[in-house]
Each structure stands twice: as C-alpha cells, then as structure tokens.
Amino acid sequence: MTIAAEKNPPVKLPNEPTITPQVVAEHGLAPDEYERLLKIMGRTPTMVELGIFSAMWSEHCSYKSSKVWLKKLPTKAPWVIQGPGENAGVIDIGDGQAAVFKMESHNHPSYIEPYQGAATGVGGIMRDVFTMGARPVANLNALRFGDPSHPKTRHLVSGVVAGIGGYGNCMGIPTVGGETNFHAAYNGNILVNAMTVGIAPTDKIFYAAAAGLGNPMVYVGSKTGRDGIHGATMSSTEFNEDSESKRPTVQVGDPFVEKLLLEACLELMATDAIIAIQDMGAAGLTSSSFEMAAKGGLGLEMALDKVPMREEGMNPYELMLSESQERMLIVLKPGREELARKIFEKWELDFAVVGHLTDTERMVLSWHGDIVANIPIPPLVTEAPMYERPWKLTELPATLDAAKVPAPKDWNASLIALMSCPDLASKAWIWHQYDHLILGNTAVRPQDGDAAVVRIAGGHKGLAMTSDCTPRYVQAHPETGGRQAVAEAWRNITATGARPLAVTDNMNFGNPQKPEIMGQFAGAVMGIAEACKALDFPVVSGNVSLYNETEGRPILPTPTIGAVGVIADIGKTVGSRLTKAGLRIVLVGETKGWLGQSLYLREACKREEGAPPPVDLAAERRNGDFVRAQIDARRVAACHDLSDGGLLVGLAEMCIAGGTGMEVAQPAGNGVPSHAFFYGEDQGRYLIATGVADEIVAEARKAGVPAVVIGHSGGTSLVVKDLVSLKLDDIKAAHEGWLPAYMNATE
C-alpha cells in the first residue's frame, strides 16, 4: 500500500503561533530532528502537527536512545504469548490461562506532584494490563527516595505512598510487594516504578493493531481536560530549578472512574465487538491513535470536536496532547456501536464515535469541519530518530580485600545498626497503607516471603511476583549489577517454591547523551541479557526512563527487574518466616565473604567502594533448581534468599518475621573472616529451615550444590556463637521503629 498524497492541507487555527526555532526547541525537538520532520511533511507543520511529532519522537515514547540496545534482550520462550511491543507482556501459565504484566515509571511527575504522580502511575499501568483483556490481580512498586535528611524526602515519601495506596485501594486491587531504598543520588529525582499483574484466558488476549477499512474508532472513559499536556516531553528532559513550573504537566487521576472503565471494558471484551483497543497513556490521544493505525498499516480520520471535553475552550492541540486519565480508544466491528454505547453508558462513562479507519496511511484530524492536521503515519514511526549514542563502559573496580575491612567492635550493635538503617528497616509503615489482602487471594504477604504469592481464583495454582535491583552494584559495575538484579528476582521467586517464567524491566538512568551514562545503560543491558538467557527468563515487557538528572547530577543507574513465576500447587508455597523450634538451618550456596559494595561496608565503615559481588549464573541456576525441588518435595519449612546485609541480616529477618529464635555458628575450617562470612553479600545463596537437614545436605552434595548446616531454631533470641546474642524483641523494635519515627518526626 502506498501512502496517499496530501489532498487536504490543514488550516491554521485562530491565534496559532508562528513556528520558530524557539517554539521547536520548547517542544523538545533538536534542529536536525525538525529538519527530518520538514522532509517528511514537505511543508511547515501546524502547531497540532508539531505537538504530535514532539510527543511521538520524545524519548519517553520513541525510545530513540535505547532501542538499539533493547534489541539485545532475549524475549522469546515457548511460554511467551506476547513479548515487547504491546501494552503488556503475556505468558502462558497453563490451564488455558495467561499472566499479563508490565512495569512502568512515573518518576518526574511523582517528584513534581507526589500524590497524583504516583497515583496516575498506578492507574496507567493497570490500564496497560486490562487493555490486553486481563483482570488485574496484584500491584507492586519499586520506590527510590533521596537521603532521609534531605528537606523534601519525607514529603515525597508521604505523598507517593498515599498516592499508590489511594489509587490501588480504590480500584480493589491488592498491592502485594515491592521495595523502597534511600540514597542521596535521588535527592532531586525520585523513582516511582509501578507494576501490575493480571490474568486472562489465553484465547481472549486483545491487541492494539487496527483493522478493517471504514471501521469506527470510538473514545470511551473520562472526558479530556488540560491536565498532563506535554507529560511525555517533560518525562524526557532533565530537571532544573524551574521544575516546579511543570506541575500542569502532571495528570490527575480518578480511581473510581478507572474501576468503572475496567468493568465496562471487560464486559465489552466478553462480546465479539472489539477489533483493537489501546489505552491513552503517555501522549494521550496522539500515541494511542497513531500506534493503532501504524500497527494495522492503515490510516485514520478523526473529528476532534467529537471528543468529550471536560473544560471550556479546548483546542485540537490540547486534545491531542492531553494525558487526562481513565480513557481508551477502541476499533469496533461495524454495527457494534450501539452495543458498546449501552455498556459504557450503563457504567456512566463517556462514549463517542470520533473517527474511522481509511486506506490512506495518513492521520487526518478535523475540527468543526476544518482539517487541522494531515500527517503520513509510516514515516512518523519508521523515520523516528534512533541514536547509537557514544558510550563508555564502566570498568570493574578492584576487588576489596575483606581482611582490610574492620570487623565490628560490638557485633550486637552492628546488627542493630544494619537492621534499622533506611534500606533494611521494615517498610511496614508503607505497605500497611496498601490493601494487600483485598480479593482474598494473597497467600504470601509483604512481610512473609521474598516474593508475593497470589492464588489464581478457581484452582490450585499461584503466581509469585517480585521487583528487584541493587543500584549501588549497578553504579559500581553495570554489567554485574544487571546480572544481579535478574538473578535476585529469580531467587526471590524460587524461594517461594515457584518456577520463574518471565521478566519486565524498568530502566531508570540519567542523561544518555553523556557517554558514561550511556555506558551504564549498555552495560546493564548486557548483564540483564546474559542473566535472562542463562536462567530461561525472557523479557516480555518494560519501560525506559532516561534524563533522570537534576542540574547535571544523575541518579544511581537503576534497572529495576519485575518478575513473575508460577507454582502448580499453592499449598506447597513456603515463606521466609521461621515459626517452629527444632528445625535445622541449612546455608545453600558458597560463601567467600564478599564485602565490596556491601551494606556493612557502607553503614558500618562509611565506605562505598570495591567491586560488587560476582554473579555465577551457572551456580545460580544449579542452586535455585535444587532449592525449588526441595520445596516441591515438602522438605522445607521456610526459605529466604540472601542479598542486602548478607547472612546475619537474613538470619535476623527470618527470626523476627516468625517470632522464633535460632542458634548458629560459623562452620569450622571455613577460612573466611567472621565479619565477611556473616556480612558478605555473596550471590546465589539461600537459607533453609528444615526437619530433614541430613537428607538435603546429602542430596546437595550429589547435585554439586554447596550446603552446610549452620544451626537450629528455638528460643526467643538470635545467638551466633561467640559473636551475637540479641533478644528478638530488641531486633524487631530497631527494625520496625526507624520508618515510623522518621515519618512522624516534626523537623
């Protein structure tokens, strides 16, 4: 099909400004990008057309700096139904069911307006999932805030948490997991990454590709207002001292309307009326309409004056770029308009036929009969800028000699300090504001295990889900940090007994035009790709968030990994809570005492240095498969993967979660300094509480898996021979006390 020539050049709207280099720059287009636009159009664009190109070619929508690297990620497996390129990824979980999931960022909006920024991030990711035909069953989030002493941090934590809870709770979807870290690198640019998981029948997945000449395009949901205009462009630039002025680019959400939209869409999806459906996310009506037409190889004529409007005097530019929430665009089969209208009106939502599909491959927009935009669709996509930006890999730092790191003078005090530091302290203050039990299917709750587990209604299966990243590792060496983020997500799911299936990623980095930042991105992708291949853990969806800088200061590189796994019999699920005396504690995996980039080094020694712990992917696979088999055989009472803080922190977490103490000792002849053995962050390790330790250790030996008994459960204290003796109540008070005290402080 050839693109039809422009028959109807658009008219300028009254009061439309002249396109000048300054206007082009304000739209985020570089001079050479504007020249590319002029070549495509063959004339000067109208303001509406300029706004459309600006949004579609923004970093947020076009992935112009990252696309070349994202192609290196493994995206296929026999169980992958839909990989990257749609609203969300889809995997087959058996029994005619699919899990649909994705993670996405709302970083810049959440810094400017924390409540609405976080709330609309949650609303947007839920729409991505139910647009595919899935009913959301769980939400997760990964949050990174600045130094707790920074004057804005407490305000941002309060607003973001309230926004996430407010939206998710009102939607009736449990928020079951996530992570929260603090570091001064996020002082001027926090990260809010939201993830949703849904369930759909494998034979009822909905896609965005438009089809059928003349088929009607309908707009459903909320009315369009002026909120969120230029949101995608704003999310593709650095912050500066004028960032507060960008408040109008933050969307305003209404979870009660989204709940109605969810039910109306699923009701319509139960009929045969829908050909294609797309939510209006970043760039609103612009991205949704162009993506649907482009994927279908068709054109579209749309009458913007028919779009339901919330405010007086709106113009086509505002309508196309608004990011008002709770809206969908649907291509219907001919003659199904009234069926669809009745469903949406029953749910008290707007419904309007706004256009129809054509064979011109052009987007023709009208306003009260006048053409205001006429754009060829294919080159807007195919000629979008794609950069292979200069990059410089981060060199691996020298290995830190554990013998040169001082041991604690007071072991009890050192453990209390770690358990109460901002990164490791309990986040119960946060998740208590989220309804994590609504729907009644949450089997492993936030405090109970390494990954959340949600029962799939109507059967015995469960879905395990988690989000993970250790930014300090990525900062030190992006390839290792990328590998570790994937490996830890894989371990967290494995520790519940579930089989890890697939990944969604959220790549949060600074300015890609700086070679060292682009090198961080490239290195992280290399590490993620390597780990995903080795662990049969494909990437099925994701999001890239760049320009996370404030006045030239970048965040820590943060490639967050969201992951999903399945367990065939949810009755076999285990958590990390140690609730029974008389069990033996088995350490699975090799401990060399790796202190480089460890929390012990940072918190106790005030040093951030050395190479991060290496990730042996073959050992990860071997150890994890072994642990999962032991859980499946019902030999494991509790399981916990080891990560931040190392072995001693892991032991303490198991004890205080289940209210049962333990006595442990460093194995004789281990040869590792005690502080490195207990605080080192070696990867690929698990703690198992079991009544059949000898059998497990014997089987581990046969499988080539390092495993050693280090102690037993019982009592009300955590005792490490010759080093630590602490009442669980004291550890728990320190662990649970920091965040409430911080949030309740008046200064």
Side-chain angles (χ1 to χ4, degrees):
M1 183 186 296
T2 57
I3 302 171
E6 183 177 42
K7 295 179 181 178
N8 301 300
V11 300
K12 286 186 67 172
L13 292 166
N15 304 316
E16 183 171 323
T18 301
I19 307 293
T20 65
Q22 180 180 347
V23 170
V24 171
E26 287 170 354
H27 281 74
L29 291 173
D32 61 323
E33 293 175 340
Y34 183 64
E35 289 301 316
R36 186 181 297 218
L37 180 161
L38 291 176
K39 187 175 180 181
I40 290 170
M41 296 297 292
R43 58 172 170 79
T44 301
T46 65
M47 275 295 289
V48 177
E49 292 167 335
L50 179 64
I52 287 170
F53 273 89
S54 165
M56 294 300 291
W57 285 4
S58 69
E59 195 76 63
H60 191 78
C61 291
S62 74
Y63 293 77
K64 57 191 175 186
S65 296
S66 58
K67 194 178 295 183
V68 67
W69 286 101
L70 297 177
K71 292 177 180 178
K72 300 180 184 298
L73 295 172
T75 60
K76 292 180 170 56
W79 53 89
V80 174
I81 296 173
Q82 175 64 54
E86 275 287 343
N87 289 288
V90 186
I91 57 173
D92 192 329
I93 57 172
D95 305 310
Q97 295 174 312
V100 181
F101 62 100
K102 187 183 181 184
M103 180 180 280
E104 196 161 78
S105 61
H106 234 222
N107 304 334
H108 287 59
S110 298
Y111 182 81
I112 295 170
E113 181 58 64
Y115 184 94
Q116 289 296 349
T120 51
V122 173
I125 197 63
M126 280 196 274
R127 284 196 306 281
D128 280 342
V129 166
F130 73 75
T131 298
M132 303 290 293
R135 180 174 288 277
V137 297
N139 292 328
L140 301 89
N141 54 76
L143 312 177
R144 320 282 171 184
F145 296 105
D147 189 317
S149 65
H150 189 274
K152 288 198 72 168
T153 299
R154 189 180 289 106
H155 160 73
L156 291 168
V157 173
S158 177
V160 165
V161 171
I164 291 169
Y167 208 102
N169 295 353
C170 291
M171 282 290 292
I173 310 300
T175 300
V176 298
E179 52 183 340
T180 304
N181 296 142
F182 296 83
H183 193 282
Y186 303 105
N187 280 350
N189 196 128
I190 63 173
L191 302 184
V192 175
N193 296 170
M195 176 175 169
T196 294
V197 182
I199 300 292
T202 53
D203 60 352
K204 290 285 283 185
I205 306 298
F206 289 82
Y207 300 96
L213 296 182
N215 282 349
M217 179 80 78
V218 300
Y219 170 117
V220 300
S222 285
K223 290 179 169 60
T224 297
R226 291 189 171 95
D227 51 321
I229 294 174
H230 282 309
T233 308
M234 180 269 290
S235 294
S236 305
T237 57
E238 294 180 29
F239 277 161
N240 54 40
E241 68 275 7
D242 299 322
S243 293
E244 287 295 320
S245 68
K246 296 179 180 176
R247 193 175 299 272
T249 64
V250 178
Q251 311 93 323
V252 178
D254 186 337
F256 298 105
V257 173
E258 178 134 331
K259 173 63 174 172
L260 300 177
L261 184 61
L262 164 66
E263 299 301 338
C265 285
L266 292 179
E267 183 174 336
L268 184 62
M269 286 167 171
T271 73
D272 66 347
I274 296 176
I275 289 176
I277 182 169
Q278 173 76 42
D279 85 292
M280 295 190 215
L285 193 52
T286 287
S287 63
S288 56
S289 59
F290 270 89
E291 286 173 14
M292 293 179 84
K295 286 177 180 177
L298 295 171
L300 177 64
E301 292 184 6
M302 191 157 50
L304 294 178
D305 48 286
K306 294 183 179 179
V307 171
M309 290 170 243
R310 192 170 68 228
E311 300 180 42
E312 293 288 331
M314 292 193 71
N315 61 47
Y317 180 93
E318 294 169 327
L319 290 169
M320 287 302 291
L321 295 177
S322 167
E323 293 185 7
S324 293
Q325 298 293 286
E326 295 89 40
R327 303 179 300 158
M328 293 276 188
L329 207 56
I330 304 174
V331 176
L332 293 175
K333 289 182 179 178
R336 298 294 199 277
E337 295 91 331
E338 284 311 305
L339 167 69
R341 184 188 301 277
K342 286 178 181 177
I343 289 173
F344 283 92
E345 288 181 350
K346 181 185 83 171
W347 289 100
E348 300 181 349
L349 295 166
D350 277 283
F351 177 97
V353 179
V354 295
H356 64 273
L357 301 175
T358 70
D359 65 355
T360 64
E361 291 193 280
R362 300 191 74 92
M363 176 71 70
V364 180
L365 306 177
S366 65
W367 180 245
H368 299 289
D370 292 327
I371 304 298
V372 293
N374 191 335
I375 300 174
I377 294 171
L380 185 70
V381 178
T382 60
E383 299 300 315
M386 185 168 75
Y387 298 117
E388 294 190 39
R389 296 197 185 278
W391 52 284
K392 179 184 178 184
L393 285 178
T394 304
E395 292 187 12
L396 182 66
T399 299
L400 186 67
D401 184 352
K404 295 182 179 179
V405 177
K409 294 178 180 177
D410 182 334
W411 276 81
N412 286 351
S414 72
L415 179 57
I416 291 292
L418 269 178
M419 293 294 288
S420 60
C421 78
D423 278 2
L424 288 178
S426 168
K427 304 306 184 294
W429 182 91
I430 292 175
W431 55 256
H432 279 158
Q433 296 183 56
Y434 307 152
D435 193 332
H436 53 281
L437 296 175
I438 197 167
L439 299 180
N441 291 319
T442 306
V444 177
R445 300 182 294 172
Q447 80 274 30
D448 291 345
D450 294 321
V453 180
V454 173
R455 182 181 296 102
I456 299 172
H460 299 288
K461 290 203 306 286
L463 279 183
M465 55 199 76
T466 186
S467 72
D468 291 287
C469 184
T470 310
R472 65 184 186 278
Y473 291 174
V474 189
Q475 173 84 357
H477 190 240
E479 290 167 78
T480 301
R483 279 193 291 270
Q484 191 274 340
V486 173
E488 186 175 350
W490 196 84
R491 281 200 307 273
N492 281 342
I493 289 174
T494 292
T496 69
R499 181 168 71 95
L501 288 178
V503 159
T504 181
D505 59 27
N506 206 145
M507 307 292 284
N508 307 275
F509 289 80
N511 184 344
Q513 296 176 55
K514 298 178 179 178
E516 64 274 17
I517 300 295
M518 200 64 228
Q520 290 176 345
F521 187 93
V525 169
M526 291 176 191
I528 291 169
E530 185 184 353
C532 287
K533 288 173 185 172
L535 299 173
D536 283 337
F537 210 21
V539 179
V540 298
S541 60
N543 172 248
V544 175
S545 175
L546 301 176
Y547 296 97
N548 287 290
E549 299 198 3
T550 301
E551 296 180 358
R553 295 188 299 275
I555 61 163
L556 296 182
T558 311
T560 309
I561 299 295
V564 171
V566 68
I567 186 164
D569 180 357
I570 201 168
K572 293 183 176 181
T573 302
V574 299
S576 59
R577 300 171 71 229
L578 186 62
T579 60
K580 185 179 178 182
L583 298 173
R584 295 170 83 190
I585 311 302
V586 179
L587 171 61
V588 175
E590 188 176 16
T591 300
K592 294 183 177 179
W594 198 278
L595 288 174
Q597 298 299 330
S598 66
L599 279 184
Y600 173 78
L601 186 71
R602 190 180 84 187
E603 297 296 324
C605 307
K606 309 305 178 189
R607 293 160 59 184
E608 295 184 57
E609 61 186 85
V615 180
D616 182 334
L617 293 167
E620 286 282 0
R621 183 71 182 256
R622 185 174 59 245
N623 297 357
D625 289 348
F626 174 79
V627 167
R628 197 180 313 108
Q630 300 307 308
I631 295 172
D632 186 61
R634 297 187 185 274
R635 291 173 165 174
V636 177
C639 183
H640 189 21
D641 99 295
L642 295 181
S643 52
D644 280 349
L647 173 59
L648 187 52
V649 165
L651 293 167
E653 289 171 340
M654 290 182 79
C655 289
I656 63 175
T660 303
M662 65 172 77
E663 292 186 18
V664 300
Q666 184 173 346
N670 174 266
V672 177
S674 293
H675 66 296
F677 182 81
F678 284 105
Y679 284 132
E681 296 181 5
D682 304 75
Q683 299 296 295
R685 299 185 300 160
Y686 301 80
L687 284 170
I688 287 175
T690 178
V692 289
D694 292 342
E695 292 178 36
I696 287 178
V697 170
E699 285 203 17
R701 190 175 298 114
K702 290 178 187 176
V705 171
V708 61
V709 177
I710 60 171
H712 64 273
S713 65
T716 58
S717 297
L718 172 60
V719 177
V720 179
K721 185 180 178 182
D722 300 328
L723 298 175
V724 175
S725 180
L726 280 169
K727 290 285 187 184
L728 298 190
D729 286 347
D730 293 338
I731 303 174
K732 188 173 182 178
H735 182 61
E736 296 182 354
W738 179 79
L739 189 54
Y742 172 71
M743 294 307 299
N744 291 331
T746 55
E747 294 181 6

